[in-house]
Structure formats: structure tokens, C-alpha cells
Amino acid sequence: MTVALDHGPDSVLGDRILRVAILAVGGQGGGVLTNWVVDVAERNGYRAQSTSVAGVAQRTGATIYYVEMCPDRGRQPVFSLSPSPGDVDVMIAAELMEAGRAIIRGFVTPNRTTLIASSHRIAAVSEKIAPGDGRASSHEVEIAAQKAAKTFIGFDMEKMAVEAGSVISSSLFGALAGAGVLPFPRESFEATIRESGRGVEASLRAFALACDEAARRQGGDKMGAPQPPRVEHASAAPLPLGGQPESEDSRTDGPAATRAGEPVGDERLLAQWRELDRRIAALPEVVREMAEPGLRKVVDYQDPAYGAEYLDRLDEALTKDDAAHGFVLSHTAAKYLANAFCYDDVIRVADLKTRSSRSARLRREIGVRDDDVLKVTEYFHPRIEEICGAMPARLGRWIEARPGLATWLDKRVNKGRHIRTDGVFGFGMLWVIGGMRRWRRSLLRHAVEAEHIDRWYRLALGTVARDYDLAVEILKCRRLIKGYSDTHARGLSKFDRVLSALPLLEAQDDAAGWLRRLREAALKDEQGTMLDGALQTVASFAGPSFTGPTQPPEGTAGSAPAA
Amino acid sequence: MAERSFAKEVQKLRMGAGEEFSGEGILAITKALLQCGVGYVGGYQGAPISHLMDVLADAQDILGELGVHFEASASEATATAMLAASVHYPIRGACTFKSTVGTNVASDALANLASGGVTGGALIIVGEDYGEGSSIMQERSHAFAMKSQVWLLDPRPNLPSIVKSVEDGFELSEASNTPVMLQVRIKCCHVHGKFVAKDNKRPPTTVADALSNPRRDTGRIVLPPASFLHEKEKVEKRWPAAVDFIRSRQINEFFGAATGRIGLVLQGGMYNGVIRALQRLGLADIYGDTEVPLYVLNAVYPLIDDEFLDFCEGKDAVLIIEEGQPNYIEQAFGSLLYRNGGTTRLLGKGYLPVAGEYTGQVMLEGIGDFLRDQAPELLPDQIRAPNRAEEEPDPAIDLAKVVPGRPPGFCTGCPERPIFAATKLVEQELGPHHIASDIGCHLFSIMPPFDLGATTMGYGLGPASASAFNSPDATRRSISFVGDGGFWHNGLTSSIGNAVFNQSDGVIVIVDNYYSAATGGQDILSSRAANKSKSTKHPITEAVKGIGVKWVRHIDRTYDVTKVRDTLREALTTEEKGPKVIVASSECMLNKQRREKPLASKAIKGGERVVKPRFGVDEDVCTGDHACMRLSGCPSLSVKTLDDPLRDDPVAHVDHTCVGCGNCGEVADAAVLCPSFYRADTVHNPTGAERVSARLSRRVIAWLQRRRESRRLVFSGASA
């Protein structure tokens, strides 16, 4: 129902009420933008009215602002106080999912609505708390926006604003001007910003960038230049203070970024590295793609000898793999072996936190001026498990075998420790722990991890002959093990529970598919409720003889690391 | 000090006759009060009328000049009881609050006030929190007007109409010796518009004058036999007086053709929505000129019988457009029509939905259907028989499953977040508990990631709502929350006093953020800031002890998650009987930032030593399990994808909006999560000694780093 007959016999023909709605996330400054829209309308001889739904919605929730305007003929028009589905001329969304929300609410229709949306993401709480990747699909919203709107102008206005040292209201206002949907000259928009009085220059910069970009897209280049998947790099410049939440990225499935060439180090180590590099070069290309970063990670984690061990294990997969399968098994093995080899122990954390590159990154990211002092506090909470893990394997096992002693010791060590790594003492302590790297392979934690890797890897490779795809999926289950202490223990338990379904799945046609579904379910929530449901489904088709998910193949509970 | 400063807006209150006032609806009401010579104003903050209270609080100087007394009342009951000043004295008084929650609280005082009646005009401005954006149960204020027989105005939602309603309201109140409620809806409170101002008026009689010349009249006191007479007086004298006033002053308005086969009867507040529907149906122009007869009720109680009957004269059907339920107006008009032998069909609910907000779409469909059925000849051809199918949103586009919900939540750095993180941790140890919630920001605990809280029963009633859960056989205690706002509003007596008296064994957490924060950061008794016109700094712990609680713990930094968790555990497990009260205090971050940020920037520019905290995540230490977010939900703590093909899941990331509250690090510590978080304190303009010591440390550290890195392979770009 959109036949608009807004004018009666007495009114000037063609005078229409323009409806502009703004959807934003609380705290994004939708109010400022609303005031600007009203101001630019009045500046151009229009009457305008704005409304908003404030209240607690402003506390990080989705908020809506609404402006109506029409030429001022000396008489007050009757404006509506809220937008209606199918009755919006311009819809401005300050975040991509809010654009999606506008579409759901029917505020975007193909015969009249110009949708101006910033393509950046601010993840909602529900998206952040999934143990895996819970983020909504930006792509689906973008496709829907193309279909739903008369014109869709979407690009990252948040990034544009931050780079100009301003906030998103400026770039949204620029895009509104550039879209040409309001019959006002660009100069009047700029005058509005100028008179608002705060951060004018930065606002005008962001305005201009977005205005030009929107005009370019409005001029037919609607999709813009093809963009590679976005990945966040640490920005070189400190971000302006008091800015808006920075852009979330979209999922990246693109090829690995090519890394810089050879590492730096002494000749002896470099010679070893070159040897490994030669082995990598001999790998099939698909495998090399993943083995290269994998090897770097492993060598960086420990040393070239550990890298050689990594390649040895990778070779085991290769011998069972072939081009007909596209080397998927080896590609997957290259990825998850690297991650498994680089388990997160105290030494790893201490090492990462004492590197010179980390010190530099911190100062850059925080934006510390040269004459300012940066104090850095690290939060550690060691437990007896970590202490034992960092002991020689026999000693660690000896303590763990004596629960009374372990509990007594735990009481002494188990507490939060805030360590200042800008000071020599705190830094020195971590530096020493990081230096334990050279003994790592004789420590208890390594023994536990090596055994776990071995069992998992053998299970996978042992399955290849029977079911290649299932073997690949078994390798991928390594993704479930992550985090520290309790989270790590939960990950291990999920890993075990997922693999516990293997005996049931073997009889199934699509065993690999089912294992994948189980793994995905395990990544949905913290406690594994979805996983339990999925396991029951598996059990239900496994037949009446089955009595419930079996125990894991072997007890795989390892010492749970935390630093 | 409120969240928003109205220092600029307040100057608009000084405008004189002929000047054009431009601003929010709620500010227009404030100005109108002064133009009416109001003598005193009170109220309790809450959306959508918080700004009215904030403006008045910021306008103390102007009020002082005019001799107007202003109070930030302790509750809506207090605010309404304050109108007692208009019972014997010819002073105009006004109070304001959120409705219907505020009206619920106020109704005791309202009923007493209405019974005895008033001499000076008494105006109650209710912000009707109904429909989109509302945070409360969906009810109508209309019922309160009916039960206490106070008059209810519902003006058209534009500034000149609202301002006129304030003026009319006072006069109506005086003409009928009855308090008057003026109802304004959410969007009307926040609508920006203009009206032509008048001069402010000094009250002819001020409260000071009244105090110097006390009066009393037992006939106005609610006590038998006067109370029996009051009831009769209401219907015999005050009602007819009100009807006369409303009719003679043409409070209700007629638009459109004088005659016609059909007509629309609507609450004033519905007017813009109705006109928009008529515009879209091709029956009104942009100025609202229409041929469809409209009867607009700016006064919805009492109704003017003969006005309505005249309107129905010669009409086949009228549609009553009445938002909310029960449909009191429709019922009253239906009965009136029947008793007078009317033949006009009375329609309303049916074409329009019984419940829910009358949005643009609802109006368009309801009025459209009514016209298609009852007067199709009025409709333009395009509407009656469109060539083109109605434009429906493309059903192929189904984003409902994609777009995540975005309910309001705790702000960045909110001091209440760690309290609920600690509660979640304690529940992980001791199992789930019955948790009673209250009204306030802390109610966001019911949503992810905390998912804590089972009920909310009203402001300050959190612990009261857990009072049944007090059993000697129970193995677990109940936990109840109440905010500082709710505590002072009602909680001290209804919740804490009740728990002491009834020897409740539950655990009560009082969330003290130094303000009535959810309503916009107004000061309350326990606020820590010095307030020129109010007495603050009254500790909650003293009040709690004073009322008889023996087990009281005070946590003065809620960000200490470990301490909050341990205190909660102690409260839940201690042998001691009686209520266990934990007062958890830290300043509302929104207010703190607003107060401190400009000061810090100025200090840094001025060369003073300033420490600015911020949190960060070492992304190569983070494994992407998001356990931290399940205990936080902070807007500045989010996820990001790394440029690393070896990683499947996004890692945690703290953006530059972080205010360094400390929750991340404390939670990581208390929950033994992971060592990815670091706190980075930037010391701006450090002292000389600090600089030297830092330089030395950096030199030693750099030497250690060089030494280590010379013995390993260093990859550029890897693991920074």
C-alpha cells in the first residue's frame, strides 16, 4: 500500500513529505546524525520533525531515529512520529545487521527506499559468546539489501570515519549527501557540520570521503571495486581516542597471505632452516600452502629440530595421500599438526609476552608517545597442573600421583598473579620461564601432549584406507581443543565426546558428514548441550543395540594447561 | 548530576512572549509549566520524562528567580503526595513520572488527592511508556483516571497542542477542583518541534506565602464523614464542572467535513498516525486537510456525551481509534449510543487490534479496512482497486534467521558486569540458585551472556519478591538484587526491612553505582558527588545496618571479581541466620567517563601527570574459545579474524573504546581463563624519576630480548 497521494487540492503539487529513518546501535551517535538531518532540511527551506525512541534502548541496543520533512509553505504539515513499513524514502543503517533489521521490519522497499548502510559489523553478544565462530553472515544481508532496496549504497563508513579521525555520524551524513536523495546541495550539508562546532575539520574529512564514495556508487558503480576478504591488520597509526567501536571483519576464507621470506638468525640455525625449506619445496603445492605457515609456526615455537619432527609426521600423511584426493588429508594434517605441536603452555605464553616485537606492537596499538611511559600488567593464574607440566616428566608425574601433596602445593601457587612486564623484575621472571624452551621436550606437559597427538594422528591415518573423508574430519576435530585450564579441559572433553561416536559412525554411509556435524554442534555452546543432542541423534540411528555414547577410545584427559 | 547536561536548553526556559521555542516535547512542557505560573514541581525520573526532571534540576536558578519550588521526589508516591499543597492553597502544582509504573506507585496518594479535591490547579504529567521502546509492562494510565476520577488529557502530539494542554489542564483542574493527568507518549516526549513562547509567570501565591498563612478545611480531609461527601461531590459537582469546561473551551477538536456517512473518533495522541494513514489512503493532504470527519479527543476522560452524539448524527458508522486495552472509550460510547437509541454503528477493536501499539501499519490497515467496508466511495480508485499488487516485502528475503537480536545491555566498562560475572562463577561452584531481579540497569543480567534472574516485580521489590523463599528445609538460599535507585525508592522498607522483620535467610545484593543510572544518572541519597541543591553521601550500608541487618559486607570496587565471588560464596554458605546484605559499589561508567574524560584531556594538555588505563589481548596467546566473552558481553570486547590460515576461529579483541575498567583481567584471573589479557597504563607527562626508571628498564629489557633473539630464528611478521 504505497500509493502516495500526499497533496490535496490546495497544496503545491509535488510537495511530498520525505521520510528518513536511521537505525543504529546505542552509543553510535544516531542522535547527532538526526539533528544534522533536521538542520540541513531547515537550512534549505524545509520544515522537519524528528523523533527517537530513547530510554534504555540506548544502552548498546538497537535504536531508531526518524525524520520527516517537506518544503516550508508557511503552514505546519502533519508529520508522523514513526516510520511505517513500505513508507520510507531513505533508510540509514549505521551497522550492517541493523540494515538487515530494517529490511526485516519492512522499512526497505524496492519502489522507493534508498538504503545507505555502513558495511562494518559490531558483533552482538550472541555472536561473540559461541565457542566457535558465531558471527552472522554479512553476505546474506548484503544480497538481501540489493534485492530489497531501490538503491543500496553500502561501504565501510566506520573505517572511513576513523581514518579521518572522526566518528560514523560524519561519514553517514556524507553518504546521505552523496546519494543525492535529499534535494539539498552538498555545501548546505557541510555548513551544517561546520555550525555543529565540535571536531569540525575531522568531520568534514570523513563527510567528504563518504560523500564522494556514495556519489560514485550512485553513478552506476553500485557494487564498487571487487574487494578481497577483509582481514584486520594492526594499524600503524594510533586510533583517535573516543572514537566508535572499530569495524568487525568478515570471515576470511581467502588464500594465505604470502609471508616474508627467510627468518633472521645465526648461520647454524639458518642452515637447518634451509634444509627444512627444501623439504617444504618438494611438497605438492596444496600441501605446501599450509605446511609453510605451519612449519614457521612450529619452528618459531620451538626450534628447527621440532620443525623437522613436524615435517616427518606430515610425511606420514602424504604417503597415504594422493593427487586424486587433492591432497586434502595432507593439507588438513599440515594445519592441525602445526596447531597441535604448538600447544599453549606456560613457556609459550612467557615467550610471546617477552619478545621485542610484542613490546613494539603494544606501544603502537595503545598509541604511546615517545615521552610517555607505558606500564603493562599481565594477568596470570597458575595452578599446580601448570607447575607440574613445567617440571621434568618424572618429577611432575611423581607429584601428580600424590593428590595430598598436589593439593598442598596447589594451595601455595593457585592464585591470581599480576605481573608488571614493563619492569625488570616482572619481565625477567617471564624471560626466564620463556627460556625454559630449550628443555621443553623433556617436561611433563610435552610428554602428555606428544602422546595425545600421536594417538589422534594414528587414529586419523589408520582410518584413511577405510574412509578417506572420515580421516580428514578426524584431523579437523583438533579444532575443538583450545583455551587454557577449565576451557581447555572442556575442549578436550568435547574432542573425546565427538570422537566417541566413531564406532557408531563407521557403519554409516556419510560418516564424515556426521562427524563434521558433531564437531560443529560442539562449537555452538560452552557446555556442549548441542553436542549432546547431536550425539543422541547419532545414537538413535545406530540401532537399539546401542546403549549410549561410548567412552573415548582411551582416556585422553591430559593435564589442562593454564599459565 | 544527570547523564545529560541541559545547561543550553535551560536558557530556552527564559524565552519571553513571541519568541520561537524549538526543542523536544518534554522541554516544551517544562516551559509551559513556567508560563502557567506553577508554584512547585516534583517528580520521579524515568523514560520518557527523565529529561523533564533533568531540565528542572539544571534550571534551579530560573526556578529560584520565579519563586518556584522544585523537588526530585523520593518516589512517584512522594511526588503525588506533594500535590497536597494545592488542596487548601490556590497554588498551581505539577508532578511528573513514568506511567503506568509510576502511577502504580503514586496511586495511594492519587486516590487521597482526588477524594478531597484541589483548590489550586494540580497537574500530573505522565510519560506513557507504551509500545516500541518501552521497558515496562503494557498497561493503560486511563484506568487510574477512571478509578480515582481525575481527568485525563491526551493532546495531539505536536508542541503547540501539548503546551496548550498544560494551560488547559491547570484551568480545568481549578474549574472542577480535580487533579488532572496529562498523558504524553514516548515519541511525543522526544518529538522535536516549535511553538511560540509566552512570558514566564511568577506564581500569584508561592509556597512561602502559604507557609506564612496556613489554612485548613476539614471538608477536604479524607476521613468520614467528609470522604462519603467527596464521592458524591465528584459526580454531582466536579464532573459536570469538568464537562462544562471541556465543552465550552472546545478542548476536543473536530476536523474534516461537517457531515458525512462515516467518521473517525480518536484519542488526541493518535492524531498524527491517523492523518498519515489518511494521507496514504489518498484522503488527506500533507497539512492534514481531509474530507473525512474526525472527532479528536484531547480530553479522554471525562467524555462529553452530547459532543459524541452530535458527531454521530447522520452517520452510518464511526470508528473508535483507541490504543491499548481494555477499550474504555469504546465501551463508554457504545453504551451511550445505545441508551440514546442511536443507530450509528460503533466500530473499533476488530478493525483495529485489541492489544499493542497503533503503529503506522496498524492504522493504515485498520482505517483502510473500515473505509473499504463502510464507505468505499470515498476511496480513490487506486486504493479501492489497485492495478498493481500491494508492495509486500519480498518473501524470498528471509533475514530473520540471520540478523542477531540486539537487546540493550551493560555499557562498556559497566561496574555491574563484574558483579554478575562473579555470580555466574559462584553458581558454577555451588549450583544454580533462585535469583530475584529488580528494576534498573542490573536487570540486563537476565540476558546473555549472564542469563541470571527469574523475576522482576517492581522497583525496589527484588528482595521482597524473594520473600516466600525462606524455608528452614531449604539447602540453598535465594539471591536477590536491588539497585541503589530501587533501594531508596522503596527497597529499604519493602525489601530490607521486610527481610529483617521476617528473619529472611536470603542473600541480598545492593548494586550501588552512585546514581539512579538507568533513568539517566540522577543523584540519589547515596550519590558520592556533592550536589548544590541536594543532600547526598548517605551510605547505603548505614541505612541497612540502621534497619537491623547484622550481616553486611561492603565491596567498594566491584571490578574485584574474586572478592565479589568470595563474598557471595560466604553469604550463601555462612551459618549465620537472617538476611545477608552485600553492598557492591562502583561508579556508573557512563557517568564517570562523562565527568572524567574532559578533565583528563585538559590535564594532559596542561602537562599534568595522568594515567590512562586500557586493556588489550595478545592475539597469539588467545586461542579463540571466547570464554572471556561469556563472562563479559562488554561492547569493547569483541571478536576478530586473524590473517593466519592456521586459525579457524576468531580471537578476542579489545577495541579503542575500552575504558580500562579491569573486568577482563579480573575475570581472566578469577575464572582462571587465560593469560591473553594485559592492562596497559599510559602515563602521560610522567615525572622525571618515572621517566628515568622506565628508560633504564626498557634498556635492560631490550638487552634481554636481543640476547634471546640472537639464539633463535626470528620470523618477520610472525607472532608479534
Side-chain angles (χ1 to χ4, degrees), chain B residues 529-585:
Chain B
N531 184 320
K532 269 199 305 196
S533 62
K534 303 280 172 286
S535 170
T536 50
K537 302 179 190 171
H538 304 282
I540 291 175
T541 44
E542 295 298 313
V544 168
K545 285 178 198 160
I547 209 165
V549 181
K550 297 282 176 274
W551 196 103
V552 183
R553 300 286 183 276
H554 190 206
I555 295 165
D556 216 18
R557 199 178 68 89
T558 59
Y559 300 102
D560 191 342
V561 177
T562 308
K563 187 173 173 191
V564 179
R565 181 199 58 194
D566 294 349
T567 311
L568 259 173
R569 190 200 294 119
E570 190 197 342
L572 287 167
T573 53
T574 178
E575 290 296 314
E576 203 165 318
K577 295 290 165 198
K580 267 67 68 178
V581 174
I582 301 169
V583 182
S585 312

XYZ file of all heavy atoms in Angstrom, chain B residues 529-585:
445
model
N 28.681 12.347 44.753
C 29.046 13.691 44.309
C 28.419 14.736 45.225
O 27.359 14.508 45.804
C 28.575 13.896 42.889
N 29.097 15.859 45.333
C 28.498 16.973 46.062
C 27.455 17.600 45.148
O 27.711 17.825 43.980
C 29.564 17.991 46.418
N 26.269 17.831 45.659
C 25.199 18.400 44.860
C 24.744 19.667 45.569
O 24.399 19.639 46.752
C 24.064 17.377 44.749
C 22.935 17.842 43.852
O 22.549 19.003 43.865
N 22.407 16.920 43.072
N 24.754 20.758 44.821
C 24.448 22.068 45.405
C 23.106 22.082 46.128
O 22.961 22.644 47.197
C 24.382 23.123 44.279
C 25.686 23.806 43.985
C 25.426 25.109 43.219
C 24.603 24.854 41.970
N 24.600 25.921 40.998
N 22.101 21.474 45.474
C 20.749 21.646 45.997
C 20.203 20.405 46.698
O 19.073 20.391 47.142
C 19.816 22.032 44.848
O 19.785 21.007 43.885
N 21.015 19.348 46.768
C 20.510 18.114 47.381
C 21.508 17.603 48.409
O 22.699 17.855 48.301
C 20.306 17.030 46.316
C 19.370 17.422 45.175
C 17.920 17.283 45.565
C 16.979 17.852 44.527
N 16.924 19.320 44.460
N 21.005 16.840 49.356
C 21.882 16.236 50.355
C 22.234 14.824 49.917
O 21.361 13.970 49.818
C 21.177 16.210 51.709
O 21.909 15.437 52.617
N 23.516 14.589 49.641
C 23.946 13.274 49.145
C 24.901 12.631 50.152
O 25.013 13.088 51.289
C 24.652 13.419 47.789
O 25.644 14.434 47.910
C 23.671 13.806 46.692
N 25.599 11.589 49.735
C 26.640 10.908 50.527
C 26.102 10.224 51.782
O 26.764 10.227 52.824
C 27.759 11.880 50.907
C 28.424 12.521 49.700
C 29.498 13.500 50.123
C 29.969 14.285 48.914
N 30.845 15.382 49.221
N 24.888 9.678 51.688
C 24.370 8.892 52.805
C 24.594 7.422 52.488
O 23.940 6.888 51.599
C 22.883 9.178 53.010
C 22.605 10.636 53.212
N 22.835 11.254 54.409
C 22.164 11.596 52.360
C 22.531 12.540 54.295
N 22.127 12.774 53.061
N 25.519 6.763 53.182
C 25.895 5.401 52.785
C 24.740 4.409 52.941
O 24.016 4.433 53.936
C 27.032 5.040 53.745
C 27.442 6.317 54.380
C 26.277 7.236 54.340
N 24.621 3.547 51.955
C 23.588 2.509 51.987
C 23.844 1.549 53.153
O 22.904 1.104 53.815
C 23.575 1.755 50.634
C 23.067 2.691 49.535
C 22.716 0.495 50.699
C 23.125 2.112 48.132
N 25.116 1.262 53.409
C 25.440 0.322 54.488
C 24.894 0.816 55.827
O 24.403 0.024 56.634
C 26.968 0.154 54.612
O 27.565 1.440 54.530
C 27.523 -0.725 53.506
N 24.973 2.137 56.060
C 24.472 2.686 57.320
C 22.966 2.466 57.437
O 22.447 2.106 58.493
C 24.776 4.192 57.400
C 26.258 4.524 57.449
C 26.932 3.956 58.686
O 26.378 4.111 59.782
O 28.006 3.314 58.537
N 22.273 2.719 56.309
C 20.822 2.557 56.316
C 20.450 1.107 56.586
O 19.525 0.813 57.350
C 20.252 3.008 54.976
N 21.199 0.210 55.952
C 20.905 -1.217 56.079
C 21.136 -1.676 57.522
O 20.322 -2.391 58.113
C 21.794 -2.012 55.088
C 21.729 -3.490 55.387
C 21.360 -1.734 53.658
N 22.246 -1.211 58.103
C 22.528 -1.561 59.499
C 21.482 -0.931 60.408
O 21.019 -1.549 61.367
C 23.921 -1.073 59.893
C 25.038 -1.929 59.322
C 26.396 -1.352 59.715
C 27.495 -1.905 58.833
N 28.697 -1.057 58.842
N 21.125 0.291 60.079
C 20.156 1.020 60.891
C 18.812 0.316 60.962
O 18.115 0.373 61.978
N 18.460 -0.360 59.898
C 17.155 -1.013 59.880
C 17.240 -2.411 60.494
O 16.218 -3.084 60.657
C 16.582 -1.035 58.443
C 15.051 -1.017 58.467
C 17.078 -2.234 57.656
C 14.409 -0.690 57.137
N 18.467 -2.815 60.849
C 18.571 -4.043 61.644
C 19.290 -5.221 61.009
O 19.280 -6.319 61.556
N 19.938 -5.005 59.857
C 20.666 -6.122 59.257
C 21.990 -6.304 60.001
O 22.707 -5.344 60.257
C 20.933 -5.870 57.751
C 21.679 -7.051 57.150
C 19.630 -5.633 57.011
N 22.284 -7.548 60.386
C 23.523 -7.807 61.129
C 24.671 -8.173 60.187
O 25.808 -7.802 60.395
C 23.308 -8.964 62.111
C 22.273 -8.658 63.182
C 22.860 -7.759 64.278
C 21.808 -7.363 65.295
N 21.030 -6.157 64.895
N 24.361 -8.969 59.163
C 25.413 -9.450 58.234
C 25.474 -8.506 57.038
O 24.645 -8.594 56.135
C 25.083 -10.880 57.798
C 26.232 -11.644 57.175
C 26.990 -12.605 57.769
C 26.710 -11.547 55.824
N 27.932 -13.096 56.876
C 27.786 -12.466 55.686
C 26.371 -10.751 54.728
C 28.496 -12.628 54.498
C 27.088 -10.905 53.535
C 28.137 -11.839 53.440
N 26.404 -7.574 57.072
C 26.533 -6.610 55.973
C 27.976 -6.605 55.493
O 28.904 -6.552 56.296
C 26.169 -5.174 56.441
C 26.248 -4.197 55.275
C 24.780 -5.145 57.048
N 28.173 -6.723 54.185
C 29.518 -6.606 53.616
C 29.491 -5.505 52.574
O 28.540 -5.398 51.800
C 29.945 -7.911 52.933
C 29.993 -9.120 53.841
C 31.209 -9.086 54.777
N 31.266 -10.285 55.583
C 30.592 -10.455 56.728
N 29.826 -9.486 57.184
N 30.701 -11.582 57.408
N 30.541 -4.730 52.574
C 30.622 -3.658 51.591
C 31.796 -3.908 50.657
O 32.924 -4.084 51.128
C 30.769 -2.306 52.288
C 30.611 -1.163 51.331
N 31.170 0.060 51.536
C 29.947 -1.083 50.164
C 30.866 0.861 50.517
N 30.120 0.187 49.675
N 31.533 -3.960 49.362
C 32.602 -4.097 48.372
C 32.701 -2.755 47.667
O 31.745 -2.331 47.013
C 32.276 -5.218 47.370
C 32.240 -6.568 48.101
C 33.291 -5.238 46.235
C 31.599 -7.671 47.309
N 33.825 -2.094 47.819
C 33.909 -0.741 47.289
C 34.547 -0.678 45.910
O 34.826 0.394 45.396
C 34.643 0.189 48.256
C 34.022 1.586 48.214
O 32.882 1.696 47.721
O 34.671 2.546 48.649
N 34.815 -1.843 45.322
C 35.304 -1.862 43.937
C 34.771 -3.149 43.329
O 35.323 -4.212 43.528
C 36.837 -1.827 43.901
C 37.399 -1.398 42.563
C 38.921 -1.328 42.593
N 39.525 -2.643 42.724
C 39.836 -3.431 41.673
N 39.630 -3.021 40.447
N 40.362 -4.614 41.874
N 33.685 -3.019 42.591
C 33.012 -4.220 42.074
C 33.884 -4.964 41.075
O 33.657 -6.134 40.823
C 31.695 -3.858 41.369
O 31.987 -2.971 40.289
C 30.722 -3.195 42.316
N 34.873 -4.262 40.510
C 35.713 -4.895 39.495
C 36.592 -5.995 40.076
O 37.197 -6.756 39.344
C 36.568 -3.848 38.778
C 35.726 -2.810 38.080
C 35.536 -1.548 38.616
C 35.072 -3.126 36.882
C 34.737 -0.611 37.990
C 34.264 -2.196 36.262
C 34.109 -0.945 36.814
O 33.302 -0.034 36.189
N 36.675 -6.040 41.401
C 37.425 -7.107 42.048
C 36.549 -8.364 42.040
O 35.891 -8.702 43.025
C 37.787 -6.689 43.475
C 38.789 -7.647 44.108
O 38.923 -8.782 43.596
O 39.417 -7.252 45.101
N 36.544 -9.050 40.898
C 35.643 -10.188 40.693
C 35.884 -11.277 41.736
O 34.945 -11.870 42.267
C 35.821 -10.757 39.264
C 34.956 -11.992 39.057
C 35.459 -9.702 38.231
N 37.147 -11.510 42.049
C 37.477 -12.537 43.034
C 36.825 -12.225 44.376
O 36.237 -13.085 45.009
C 39.009 -12.629 43.200
O 39.579 -12.769 41.902
C 39.407 -13.807 44.051
N 36.908 -10.968 44.779
C 36.350 -10.573 46.076
C 34.823 -10.670 46.055
O 34.210 -11.149 47.008
C 36.793 -9.154 46.423
C 36.401 -8.745 47.818
C 36.996 -7.395 48.185
C 36.440 -6.928 49.534
N 36.789 -5.538 49.792
N 34.220 -10.229 44.970
C 32.761 -10.306 44.877
C 32.333 -11.768 44.947
O 31.398 -12.133 45.665
C 32.239 -9.652 43.577
C 30.717 -9.764 43.494
C 32.649 -8.199 43.479
N 33.041 -12.619 44.199
C 32.691 -14.043 44.201
C 32.852 -14.644 45.597
O 31.966 -15.344 46.089
C 33.595 -14.798 43.213
C 33.287 -16.280 43.131
C 34.442 -17.058 42.533
N 35.668 -16.858 43.318
C 36.871 -17.189 42.894
N 37.047 -17.705 41.699
N 37.926 -16.995 43.652
N 33.965 -14.328 46.257
C 34.204 -14.892 47.580
C 33.178 -14.395 48.591
O 32.737 -15.147 49.465
C 35.629 -14.554 48.043
C 36.676 -15.249 47.175
O 36.282 -16.134 46.373
O 37.865 -14.906 47.278
N 32.806 -13.120 48.482
C 31.818 -12.564 49.407
C 30.460 -13.221 49.191
O 29.760 -13.556 50.143
C 31.703 -11.037 49.202
O 33.020 -10.481 49.197
C 30.895 -10.395 50.302
N 30.107 -13.406 47.915
C 28.846 -14.080 47.601
C 28.849 -15.500 48.145
O 27.868 -15.962 48.724
C 28.657 -14.131 46.081
C 27.710 -13.120 45.452
C 27.784 -13.216 43.942
C 26.277 -13.336 45.912
N 29.983 -16.167 47.955
C 30.081 -17.548 48.437
C 29.902 -17.588 49.941
O 29.168 -18.413 50.484
C 31.429 -18.157 48.036
C 31.498 -19.664 48.305
C 32.917 -20.180 48.388
N 33.649 -20.106 47.148
C 34.754 -19.407 46.946
N 35.262 -18.675 47.927
N 35.376 -19.401 45.790
N 30.541 -16.636 50.608
C 30.431 -16.575 52.069
C 28.975 -16.348 52.478
O 28.444 -17.027 53.362
C 31.320 -15.442 52.618
C 31.441 -15.462 54.136
C 31.951 -14.137 54.702
O 32.525 -13.338 53.941
O 31.734 -13.911 55.907
N 28.320 -15.423 51.793
C 26.928 -15.115 52.126
C 26.029 -16.328 51.915
O 25.095 -16.568 52.680
C 26.440 -13.952 51.281
N 26.342 -17.085 50.879
C 25.484 -18.227 50.545
C 25.735 -19.429 51.458
O 24.916 -20.334 51.544
C 25.706 -18.646 49.085
C 25.118 -17.697 48.031
C 25.651 -18.033 46.651
C 23.601 -17.752 48.042
N 26.888 -19.420 52.112
C 27.242 -20.622 52.874
C 27.398 -20.370 54.369
O 27.517 -21.328 55.138
C 28.567 -21.212 52.342
O 29.557 -20.174 52.339
C 28.419 -21.763 50.939
N 27.395 -19.131 54.805
C 27.618 -18.848 56.224
C 26.519 -19.476 57.099
O 25.383 -19.656 56.658
C 27.684 -17.330 56.491
O 27.861 -17.136 57.888
C 26.401 -16.641 56.067
N 26.894 -19.784 58.327
C 25.938 -20.384 59.268
C 24.970 -19.328 59.803
O 23.911 -19.649 60.329
C 26.692 -21.001 60.457
C 27.491 -22.251 60.094
C 26.598 -23.388 59.629
O 25.583 -23.651 60.294
O 26.894 -23.996 58.570
N 25.382 -18.080 59.691
C 24.601 -17.011 60.299
C 23.210 -16.907 59.687
O 23.034 -17.010 58.484
C 25.354 -15.692 60.128
C 24.948 -14.678 61.156
C 25.936 -13.514 61.223
O 27.163 -13.783 61.163
O 25.471 -12.371 61.307
N 22.223 -16.692 60.557
C 20.840 -16.577 60.098
C 20.513 -15.112 59.812
O 21.263 -14.218 60.170
C 19.881 -17.130 61.159
C 20.051 -18.625 61.399
C 19.567 -19.404 60.189
C 20.049 -20.846 60.239
N 19.979 -21.505 58.933
N 19.360 -14.881 59.212
C 18.941 -13.517 58.906
C 19.454 -13.098 57.545
O 20.273 -13.791 56.931
N 18.950 -11.967 57.044
C 19.350 -11.538 55.702
C 20.841 -11.221 55.621
O 21.409 -10.647 56.548
C 18.503 -10.284 55.457
C 18.032 -9.847 56.797
C 17.962 -11.061 57.663
N 21.439 -11.642 54.518
C 22.841 -11.349 54.261
C 22.880 -10.270 53.174
O 22.426 -10.524 52.047
C 23.564 -12.608 53.750
C 24.252 -13.454 54.799
C 23.374 -14.146 55.787
C 22.529 -15.233 55.159
N 21.698 -15.924 56.190
N 23.379 -9.109 53.514
C 23.327 -7.999 52.562
C 24.732 -7.636 52.081
O 25.626 -7.380 52.891
C 22.645 -6.758 53.168
C 22.729 -5.573 52.215
C 21.186 -7.068 53.496
N 24.906 -7.662 50.770
C 26.172 -7.230 50.175
C 25.913 -5.942 49.407
O 25.053 -5.905 48.530
C 26.714 -8.294 49.198
C 26.924 -9.627 49.915
C 28.002 -7.819 48.538
C 27.209 -10.788 48.973
N 26.618 -4.896 49.781
C 26.509 -3.652 49.032
C 27.709 -3.582 48.097
O 28.853 -3.523 48.551
C 26.477 -2.420 49.962
C 26.315 -1.141 49.158
C 25.355 -2.562 50.987
N 27.460 -3.646 46.804
C 28.544 -3.650 45.815
C 28.570 -2.296 45.125
O 27.660 -1.952 44.384
C 28.336 -4.771 44.806
N 29.612 -1.526 45.376
C 29.649 -0.138 44.901
C 30.774 0.132 43.918
O 31.921 -0.245 44.167
C 29.863 0.819 46.090
O 28.991 0.522 47.139
